[in-house]
Amino acid sequence: MRSRTHLYHERLRAPLRWWVLWNLMLASFWVAMIVAVPETLTWGITGVLVLVSAVMLRTYGSVTIIVDTTSLHAGRAHIATHHLGAAQALGAREMRAAAGHRADARAYLLLRPYIRTGVRIWINDTRDPTPYWLISSRRPALLVAALDATARESARRPDESVD
């Protein structure tokens, strides 16, 4: 069995400003509550809300993109690298267009609103109705380079079985 080496790894974390904004909102909620209800109830409700908001931000920001020698993982989705076609790094303007008015409803999207750049990866599988994957990435050029490296590696291994 071939070992899987990560050629690329990125975690799409929620930005610090989102954490600050949520904490400011919770602080203003606490101020409004402290004058209206008993102090212990205010602290209890605020504590629960802090935990809920931390879990939400952490969960939303826990998406990873991994490219290894055999597959691409983007969030919960994964695909074998031999099904991948050309990959294109997208700047902010191209990403906005690709995710907006130029989007294909059949495409797989892994988008985060706080990341302006990304990668479009065409799919070369006749059985898959998905034309491409559109993935947010802070380092699109490195992601494309890793995908290109897996394509070169696949070309060197002609004996690999195709699904």
Side-chain angles (χ1 to χ4, degrees), residues 1 8 13 42 50 79 106 138 147 152:
M1 182 174 216
Y8 181 84
R13 298 179 196 269
T42 300
V50 165
I79 187 169
R106 301 169 300 154
R138 288 188 175 94
L147 291 168
R152 285 191 303 273

Side-chain angles (χ1 to χ4, degrees), residues 44-74:
I45 292 172
T46 304
V48 168
L49 290 175
V50 165
L51 287 174
V52 168
S53 68
V55 167
M56 285 181 359
L57 286 170
R58 184 118 169 111
T59 302
Y60 189 72
S62 68
V63 176
T64 57
I65 301 167
I66 298 172
V67 177
D68 60 36
T69 56
T70 61
S71 61
L72 164 65
H73 298 263

Side-chain angles (χ1 to χ4, degrees), residues 83-156:
H83 291 303
L84 299 179
Q88 174 188 15
L90 303 173
R93 178 178 286 160
E94 296 96 359
M95 188 68 174
R96 192 176 321 112
H101 68 277
R102 289 189 182 157
D104 188 326
R106 301 169 300 154
Y108 172 71
L109 305 175
L110 179 65
L111 304 176
R112 291 297 182 255
Y114 47 84
I115 300 175
R116 295 179 181 215
T117 57
V119 174
R120 179 180 10 225
I121 306 154
W122 296 98
I123 305 301
N124 291 336
D125 183 3
T126 56
R127 296 173 296 165
D128 190 348
T130 307
Y132 60 87
W133 284 21
L134 186 62
I135 302 173
S136 292
S137 174
R138 288 188 175 94
R139 304 177 314 227
L142 291 176
L143 177 52
V144 168
L147 291 168
D148 289 345
T150 61
R152 285 191 303 273
E153 181 67 25
S154 293
R156 277 189 240 141

Side-chain angles (χ1 to χ4, degrees), residues 30-48:
W30 179 86
V31 168
M33 290 267 303
I34 196 73
V35 297
V37 296
E39 185 177 348
T40 56
L41 183 60
T42 300
W43 282 109
I45 292 172
T46 304
V48 168

